[in-house]
């Protein structure tokens, strides 16, 4: 069965510091991996994805994520956090071999950036 | 606006009433998904359509829930005889080609 774990309910960082939001996954085949961000009372906004190729993926708003197959991880990173990055972040996965199937989401990590 | 839209944004209903939500996907997207999100959880899959065909339903989708996508365009999600446990945010997403899904703003349902 596919699953996603986000081990931290909340991550706190100071503005200007680097941030990391952790994600590990489990799929039977090769993964498609995604990060989404959700602001209060809003839908999910796509940040970035990994399908194949370079393990370091760059996305919107200066975010990037590193795919690590041996550790089955896909951690979200940003070199310098902004207060406006404060939001709820979700990691999601689906099996490449199962076209059209739904995404499996983690429980989410609340990122709080202090000024 | 060319994104996914959902209507209504908020719905308050009494237990036992029926409710219907609408989702308009991005126009060229052939796949449409419904998810449910409760407080402190990530979205959970309910059902998905490829064009007008409903291809998969989650075990979360009890027989009180029904979804349609006539003509492969907009979709509706109906909940009959609502229960307090149905209170959640209902999210719609669409995609073409099965990669990243684009989400609408959601419909927040409160069952009193």
């Amino acid at each position: 069965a596919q699953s996603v774990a986000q081990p931290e309910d909340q991550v706190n960082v100071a503005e200007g510091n680097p941030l990391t939001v952790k994600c590990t996954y489990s799929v039977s085949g090769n993964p498609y991996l995604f990060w989404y961000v959700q602001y209060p009372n809003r839908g999910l906004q796509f940040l970035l994805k990994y399908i194949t190729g370079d393990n370091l993926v760059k996305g919107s708003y200066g975010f990037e994520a590193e795919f690590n197959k041996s550790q089955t991880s896909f951690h979200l990173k940003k070199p310098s956090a902004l207060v406006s990055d404060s939001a709820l972040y979700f990691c999601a996965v689906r099996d490449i071999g199962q076209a059209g199937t739904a995404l499996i989401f983690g429980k989410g990590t609340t990122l709080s950036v202090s000024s | 606006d060319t994104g996914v839209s959902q209507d209504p944004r908020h719905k308050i209903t009494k237990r036992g009433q029926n409710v219907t939500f609408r989702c308009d996907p991005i126009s060229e997207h052939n796949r449409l998904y419904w998810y449910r999100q409760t407080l402190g959880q990530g979205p959970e899959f309910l059902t998905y359509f490829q064009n007008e065909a409903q291809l998969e339903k989650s075990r979360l989708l009890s027989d009180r829930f029904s979804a349609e996508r006539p003509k492969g365009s907009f979709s509706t999600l109906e909940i009959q005889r609502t229960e307090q446990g149905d209170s959640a945010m209902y999210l719609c997403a669409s995609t073409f080609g099965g990669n990243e899904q684009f989400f609408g703003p959601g419909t927040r349902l409160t069952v009193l």
Side-chain angles (χ1 to χ4, degrees):
Chain A
Q2 301 174 78
S3 66
V4 174
Q6 293 181 241
E8 302 154 318
D9 290 337
Q10 181 148 346
V11 170
N12 300 308
V13 298
E15 189 174 31
N17 284 358
L19 69 87
T20 298
V21 182
K22 296 179 179 177
C23 171
T24 58
Y25 67 90
S26 174
V27 296
S28 54
N30 292 314
Y32 279 168
L33 292 155
F34 305 85
W35 276 101
Y36 286 84
V37 61
Q38 186 175 36
Y39 296 97
N41 299 312
R42 302 285 297 276
L44 277 68
Q45 184 175 340
F46 170 74
L47 276 181
L48 52 78
K49 66 183 178 184
Y50 172 83
I51 297 177
T52 187
D54 194 345
N55 289 345
L56 185 63
V57 178
K58 294 188 183 298
S60 306
Y61 312 117
F63 284 94
E64 57 190 28
E66 186 169 11
F67 171 66
N68 187 316
K69 187 172 183 177
S70 63
Q71 296 185 5
T72 61
S73 67
F74 189 56
H75 301 331
L76 181 70
K77 300 181 179 183
K78 188 174 183 181
S80 178
L82 299 172
V83 172
S84 58
D85 293 330
S86 299
L88 183 56
Y89 290 80
F90 290 99
C91 181
V93 68
R94 77 166 179 86
D95 192 322
I96 287 179
Q98 299 183 27
T101 57
L103 297 176
I104 304 300
F105 286 87
K107 290 188 175 182
T109 299
T110 298
L111 173 65
S112 178
V113 182
S114 56
S115 58
Chain B
D1 190 310
T2 57
V4 178
S5 62
Q6 291 187 246
D7 184 70
R9 294 290 305 276
H10 304 274
K11 178 71 177 178
I12 300 174
T13 191
K14 293 183 179 179
R15 189 177 54 182
Q17 298 295 305
N18 298 344
V19 295
T20 300
F21 309 141
R22 176 178 170 127
C23 170
D24 287 88
I26 295 171
S27 60
E28 64 269 24
H29 286 184
N30 61 339
R31 290 181 176 146
L32 185 149
Y33 301 78
W34 285 98
Y35 293 84
R36 181 171 69 186
Q37 184 181 18
T38 54
L39 195 63
Q41 300 294 323
E44 295 175 293
F45 169 69
L46 292 178
T47 188
Y48 109 88
F49 293 83
Q50 180 162 304
N51 300 314
E52 67 276 9
Q54 188 173 19
L55 296 188
E56 188 176 351
K57 292 192 288 187
S58 161
R59 59 179 173 78
L60 292 176
L61 210 69
S62 77
D63 57 6
R64 296 185 296 106
F65 288 68
S66 62
E68 295 182 339
R69 193 184 182 197
K71 302 179 182 178
S73 56
F74 72 92
S75 176
T76 59
L77 177 68
E78 181 183 15
I79 309 174
Q80 296 182 325
R81 305 181 303 281
T82 52
E83 302 173 355
Q84 289 184 327
D86 297 331
S87 295
M89 175 79 88
Y90 290 84
L91 295 167
C92 175
S94 69
T95 187
F96 183 85
N99 292 330
E100 65 268 31
Q101 296 176 15
F102 293 89
F103 283 79
T107 295
R108 182 169 295 283
L109 173 66
T110 301
V111 181
L112 301 176

